[in-house]
Structure formats: structure tokens, C-alpha cells
Amino acid sequence: MKSHRKILTFHTNTRRAFLNITPQVEAAILESGVREGLCLVNAMNITSSVFINDDEGGLHRDFERWLEKLAPEKPHSQYDHNGFEDNADAHLKRTVMGREAVVAITNGKLDFGTWEQIFYGEFDGMRDKRVLVKIIGE
Amino acid sequence: MKSHRKILTFHTNTRRAFLNITPQVEAAILESGVREGLCLVNAMNITSSVFINDDEGGLHRDFERWLEKLAPEKPHSQYDHNGFEDNADAHLKRTVMGREAVVAITNGKLDFGTWEQIFYGEFDGMRDKRVLVKIIGE
Amino acid sequence: MKSHRKILTFHTNTRRAFLNITPQVEAAILESGVREGLCLVNAMNITSSVFINDDEGGLHRDFERWLEKLAPEKPHSQYDHNGFEDNADAHLKRTVMGREAVVAITNGKLDFGTWEQIFYGEFDGMRDKRVLVKIIGE
């Protein structure tokens, strides 16, 4: 069994953002030399998300509006978590979108449907945040 | 290490539906010959879901009503994603229910609690959609 | 390839509770002898959750209030699932929080960001409930 570990670092200029990180995950799979296996991609911060969906700007705006409806950022005082911090909403938004994606590797490649792309979802940005890629297989 | 890959195809007669796919996943595990390992089951379409819950019709009606409340289908015009398409709500509903389930294989079988069953959740049906089963282990 | 399986049992004194189970998962990883691999931690009951977030009491109160807003427990009669049972809301809450976490093992340890902790989320407690830890790797 082979294993491979890679850390990706992101720093967005806005509090919230969606980044397509599929190319970075594909590169990690190539580096690993794994042909058949599983690849875990997870946010290492608890106010960020890794999820799989469509790379379509309209949909991303829909996600932004929808998450603000389900777990509004403001007023900050509505959350007990917000004292020294103001990011309680980011913890909730990341919960809706998910911490991680587990993806299959087949013939040395991401085994994906036509429109599947991997995204990093930032909900408390403007600082360095990390994503872990862990690959096991043969 | 062994690995096994199987594609399941579903075509529902309604826009939304829940299908119990536990028997198909069990069959894939048998075919794989894996006795100890992990099994990834994921929707390959981004308007569908794979999740684990109870096989109870009342609960499925509750899920349908609840998802319509959290991410209503209509009016289609409320979503930026809806132009050529009308399925933005399906992307959101699938996000709530999840893309994938990772399940343990022990002694050659699904290692499940009493009531755990694997479901395919369709939110934009009436056409062929695919689910990937990927198994690794020994 | 090595594999290891462990069952954790929890019994909360309240209907809903969040328990930090990181130490128990770390112990299972030590027992497994796996240095590089993946660890699946999943609720075996369909009214419970395993998720990763911050060990901060204010945030947990925020989660409780937020989940009650998204999927209120009462009136019990609002859900079709509630006849002999009264726990439909627990099925929905667990769906929001997630059934499982997949975590990386690197150098024999949980490969975690600074604030990541693993929680058991109970939404229909006051009885024995189980969590499965399944580890594969080398």
C-alpha cells in the first residue's frame, strides 16, 4: 500500500469565497503514483469546507445567498460563540457544505462524473487556511 | 490490497425520489472479495445524493417537505443558476443530504447498525444518473 | 494492509448532547498500529451524528439553537415519521450534522488542524447508542 500527503494553502481576499481546487488534487494524485485507491480532501480549519459541485458562477451566488439565509453572519451578537471572535456563522455554514470529500482514484485519475469539481469553501477568510490531501492505494 | 469499481445507474419517473440501494452495494462488496476495508458510494451527478438513514416512508415524506422548505424548487427565477436549467434547488438539496457515504466492510459484509440503509436521493430525475461504488481492502 | 475495528458506546442523560470523542478515536488508532492510513468514524444509529468542529461551549449552544430552528422537535405531530416514535427531528438534525467523519492518519496520529476535534452528536438520547471506528492502512 502506498500513501501520500499534501497540504494546500489558501488565502482569500474576501471573507467568503469558493475556489476550484480540482487541479491541485489531480496533481497530488499524480505525485502519489497511486493507480487504484481513495483520496481524502478535507479542510483543516473549522470555518472552511471542501465539497463537490458544479463550477458555475450563478450557482455559487445561489450558495452564498442560501447560506446567508440558513446561517446569517449578522448581527454577530446573535451567536454565543461570538465574543473575542465573530465567525460563528462560518462554523454553521461549513457544517452545511461539509468538511471533506472522499473521492475514488481509478487508473491513476480522479474517478468523476462529467460535472464534478472539488471546491474549497471559505467562510472566514483573509488569512492563511489549509486543506489536507491524503491518498492511499496501490 | 484489492480494489473494485462498480457503476450503478438509476432512472426515476419523478423529479425527486429516494431509492434504497443497499442490496446493490452489498452485491458489489461480494463481487470485490474484500473482507476488511472501506467502501465509498457517491453520486456522480451533482443534483443527486447518497446518504444513510431509515427505510421508512413517513420519514421520506418528511425529508421531501423539509428539503422543499430549506431549498424550494419554485419559483425557478429565484436562483441565478436557473437560465438554461431549472435545477438550482437540486444542487442545494443534494448539499444538505450529502454526496457520498463511506462505509466499513468487516468479515466481507457492510458493517452497519440495525437500521442503517443506503439511499440514492434524486432531486432532478427523469433521466439516467450514475452512482459510483469503489471498494478497497483485503 | 492492516485493519482495526472498534465500537464506542454512549448513553447521554439528555435527549440532545455533544460529546468530544477525540481521545477514544486516538486510542483506537494507537491500538491499530497503523502509521499511514484512513480512519472512518460513523454513527451506527440514524438519529446521531459524528462531526468535526470546535470544542467551544458557546458554539455548541449555537448549534443546538440553530438545529432547533432548521428542524424543530415540536410539535411532534408535524412529522409523518412520528407515530410510534417522536424522533423525526433527530433524523433531520443528524442529516445536517453528518453521519461520519473520515480522517487521515499520518505518523501514527490523527492528522488534524489546530482546532479540529471529533464530536458525537446525540439527537435522541437517554439510551445506549454506538459509534464505529474502522481503520485501514499500514
Side-chain angles (χ1 to χ4, degrees):
Chain A
M1 202 201 77
K2 284 180 182 172
S3 75
H4 184 63
R5 175 189 196 259
K6 190 169 189 181
I7 299 285
L8 310 174
T9 304
F10 302 100
H11 189 123
T12 63
N13 294 320
T14 50
R15 183 176 170 107
R16 290 191 286 277
F18 297 121
L19 308 177
N20 187 336
I21 64 171
T22 316
Q24 290 97 314
V25 176
E26 281 171 339
I29 291 172
L30 267 182
E31 289 160 24
S32 74
V34 167
R35 304 282 305 167
E36 299 293 327
L38 294 178
C39 174
L40 167 69
V41 189
N42 71 264
M44 300 186 82
N45 294 81
I46 49 195
T47 52
S48 311
S49 182
V50 169
F51 66 96
I52 290 174
N53 220 302
D54 198 355
D55 198 354
E56 200 278 305
L59 180 65
H60 296 182
R61 291 192 297 279
D62 293 330
F63 271 129
E64 161 65 19
R65 267 198 300 268
W66 181 63
L67 290 168
E68 265 296 284
K69 202 175 64 176
L70 294 183
E73 181 194 336
K74 296 175 182 172
H76 291 148
S77 61
Q78 75 190 290
Y79 299 112
D80 279 6
H81 180 63
N82 287 342
F84 294 102
E85 303 205 77
D86 66 359
N87 62 5
D89 71 298
H91 290 268
L92 306 185
K93 285 172 171 120
R94 107 75 170 251
T95 299
V96 173
M97 299 304 288
R99 166 191 180 254
E100 78 217 12
V102 178
V103 297
I105 302 169
T106 301
N107 287 327
K109 293 185 175 172
L110 277 176
D111 196 336
F112 263 6
T114 314
W115 302 102
E116 288 190 285
Q117 295 283 301
I118 308 174
F119 289 90
Y120 173 68
E122 179 61 85
F123 305 109
D124 183 29
M126 298 182 281
R127 53 194 174 100
D128 281 1
K129 306 276 286 267
R130 291 182 302 155
V131 164
L132 174 64
V133 183
K134 184 86 183 189
I135 295 162
I136 69 169
E138 252 176 5
Chain B
M1 203 199 78
K2 283 180 183 171
S3 75
H4 184 64
R5 175 189 197 258
K6 189 167 189 181
I7 299 285
L8 310 176
T9 305
F10 302 102
H11 189 121
T12 63
N13 293 323
T14 52
R15 182 176 171 107
R16 290 192 286 277
F18 298 122
L19 308 177
N20 187 337
I21 63 171
T22 316
Q24 290 96 316
V25 176
E26 282 171 339
I29 291 172
L30 266 182
E31 289 161 25
S32 74
V34 167
R35 304 282 304 169
E36 300 292 328
L38 293 178
C39 174
L40 167 70
V41 189
N42 71 262
M44 300 187 83
N45 294 80
I46 52 195
T47 51
S48 311
S49 182
V50 169
F51 67 95
I52 290 175
N53 219 302
D54 197 356
D55 198 352
E56 200 278 306
L59 180 66
H60 297 183
R61 291 192 297 278
D62 292 330
F63 271 128
E64 161 67 19
R65 267 198 301 268
W66 181 63
L67 291 168
E68 265 297 283
K69 202 174 64 176
L70 293 183
E73 180 193 336
K74 296 176 181 172
H76 291 147
S77 60
Q78 75 190 292
Y79 299 111
D80 279 7
H81 181 62
N82 287 342
F84 294 103
E85 303 206 75
D86 65 359
N87 63 4
D89 70 298
H91 290 267
L92 306 185
K93 286 173 171 118
R94 105 75 169 249
T95 299
V96 174
M97 299 305 289
R99 166 191 180 256
E100 77 218 13
V102 178
V103 296
I105 302 168
T106 301
N107 287 327
K109 293 187 175 171
L110 278 176
D111 196 337
F112 262 6
T114 314
W115 301 102
E116 288 190 284
Q117 296 284 301
I118 307 173
F119 289 89
Y120 173 69
E122 178 61 85
F123 305 110
D124 183 29
M126 298 181 280
R127 53 195 175 102
D128 281 1
K129 307 277 284 268
R130 289 182 303 154
V131 165
L132 173 63
V133 182
K134 184 85 182 189
I135 295 162
I136 69 169
E138 252 175 8
Chain C
M1 203 200 77
K2 282 179 183 172
S3 75
H4 183 63
R5 174 189 197 258
K6 190 169 188 180
I7 299 285
L8 310 175
T9 304
F10 301 102
H11 188 122
T12 63
N13 295 321
T14 51
R15 182 175 171 108
R16 290 192 286 277
F18 297 122
L19 307 177
N20 187 334
I21 63 172
T22 316
Q24 290 95 315
V25 176
E26 282 170 339
I29 290 171
L30 266 181
E31 289 161 23
S32 75
V34 167
R35 304 283 305 168
E36 300 293 328
L38 294 177
C39 174
L40 166 70
V41 190
N42 71 263
M44 300 186 83
N45 294 81
I46 50 195
T47 52
S48 313
S49 181
V50 169
F51 66 96
I52 289 174
N53 218 302
D54 198 355
D55 197 354
E56 201 278 305
L59 180 66
H60 297 183
R61 290 191 298 278
D62 293 331
F63 271 128
E64 161 66 18
R65 268 197 299 267
W66 181 63
L67 291 168
E68 265 296 285
K69 202 175 65 178
L70 293 183
E73 181 193 336
K74 296 174 182 174
H76 291 147
S77 61
Q78 75 191 290
Y79 299 112
D80 280 5
H81 181 61
N82 287 342
F84 294 102
E85 303 205 76
D86 66 359
N87 63 6
D89 71 298
H91 290 268
L92 306 184
K93 286 172 171 118
R94 107 73 170 251
T95 299
V96 174
M97 299 305 288
R99 167 192 179 256
E100 76 217 12
V102 178
V103 297
I105 301 168
T106 301
N107 287 327
K109 291 184 177 174
L110 277 176
D111 197 337
F112 261 6
T114 313
W115 301 103
E116 288 189 285
Q117 295 283 302
I118 307 173
F119 289 89
Y120 173 68
E122 178 62 83
F123 304 111
D124 184 29
M126 299 182 281
R127 53 193 174 102
D128 280 2
K129 306 275 285 267
R130 289 182 303 154
V131 165
L132 173 65
V133 182
K134 183 86 184 191
I135 295 162
I136 69 168
E138 253 174 8

